Amino acid sequence: MLKRLGTLMAVLLLLSGCSSQHGESDEGSKSTASPSAEVQVTPSPAATADSGVSSEPAASEAPVAYLDTAKLSSSFGFADSTGKHILATAENDGELERMKSLNTAIGNNGQTLTVTFEKWQPGNANSNGRDMANNFANLSGYVFTVQEGSALTDQSYYLADSAEFNLQSLLAVKPAAGEQKQLGADDPMRKDIAAFKQRDIQSIWKLADLQGDRQLYLVQFVRQGKGMLFSLVLREGNELSFMDYPAEIKDDAYSVWRVDDGGEVTPDMFTLLFAAKTASGTALGLEWWGAEGVNSFFLLQQGAGIKELDIQYSRYTSPI
């Protein structure tokens, strides 16, 4: 009997010792066992199926849509008075096959229109030489039909193949509303640009807000001797990028950058065709209106600088 009782007490003591090693300590804190940092626990396919947790990797975020500027070409046109046709002027029909591949018109602050090639238009002797809606039927070139919506009369549009121009790269554009007022002397942006350039500002306007905390400004600096300078300035967050247009006054101070510009630039001279994301920065399609015509051109942001791409278009629009 005593022997059996001793054996029973030994068993009880053994069980009590096991409990203190894997349960609560004398201080009442709970000890936790965790696998080594080098060990990764992967559930078996059966366990995954039973738990309802997928063994597939999590879906990655959608890739950023970029515009490939290397695929851009100098294909532009302007809209007729109805907004239903766009004419890409040309002296001959040597690019007929390429024109047939263009199916998208982009302009007017990023407006996109589906277009189809309609015909080659030979032009006639009634043309007054102006690339304007009122002379549309008299000019030689490639005529495109707008399938939905309307183009803005007399405005320029970039013509593209949607397989080459990634439309998802386009940024929303909000042009400055109404009559634009200059930024005041105490405006932080005015101070930042003047400090960056180490040059006094004569006039400064915001041209547009762009998607993604970007803004586009037009700045004319105070004349230094015969030296003149204006810049298009892209602000992205706290970063500034400049496209500078220096000029030197020679014989005629009334025509500095463009014929009869009066030595001044104003916001009504500039409009945006579009803004888009690229792998190196923001791309801008712009128009610069002058007394005798309008020039369309593309800019590409590269760090603190902006370069002009070799893609341009000019229309002669001088009043008769």
Side-chain angles (χ1 to χ4, degrees), residues 197 199 219-222 227-231 244-247 257:
K197 283 292 190 183
R199 188 162 177 168
V219 186
Q220 182 170 345
F221 295 92
V222 172
M228 303 283 282
L229 175 66
F230 86 84
S231 300
D244 292 331
Y245 293 89
W257 292 283

Side-chain angles (χ1 to χ4, degrees), residues 231-308:
S231 300
L232 291 168
V233 184
L234 179 65
R235 180 168 191 163
E236 187 169 347
N238 294 321
E239 302 295 325
L240 299 177
S241 300
F242 290 78
M243 182 65 202
D244 292 331
Y245 293 89
E248 183 177 338
I249 295 176
K250 295 182 179 178
D251 299 328
D252 183 9
Y254 193 73
S255 297
V256 178
W257 292 283
R258 300 284 299 271
V259 173
D260 297 339
D261 60 15
E264 291 185 334
V265 290
T266 54
D268 58 292
M269 294 179 176
F270 297 88
T271 55
L272 268 170
L273 296 175
F274 67 85
K277 300 187 296 294
T278 77
S280 67
T282 302
L284 301 170
L286 289 128
E287 286 192 301
W288 182 358
W289 289 82
E292 294 189 353
V294 55
N295 294 336
S296 302
F297 56 100
F298 289 176
L299 301 178
L300 179 61
Q301 177 191 22
Q302 293 184 319
I306 299 175
K307 73 172 185 177
E308 190 166 308

Side-chain angles (χ1 to χ4, degrees), residues 17 49 54 66 105 123 136 159 164 167 207 216 245 301:
S54 173
Y66 288 132
F136 190 98
L159 297 166
E164 302 289 338
L167 297 178
L207 293 181
L216 182 64
Y245 293 89
Q301 177 191 22

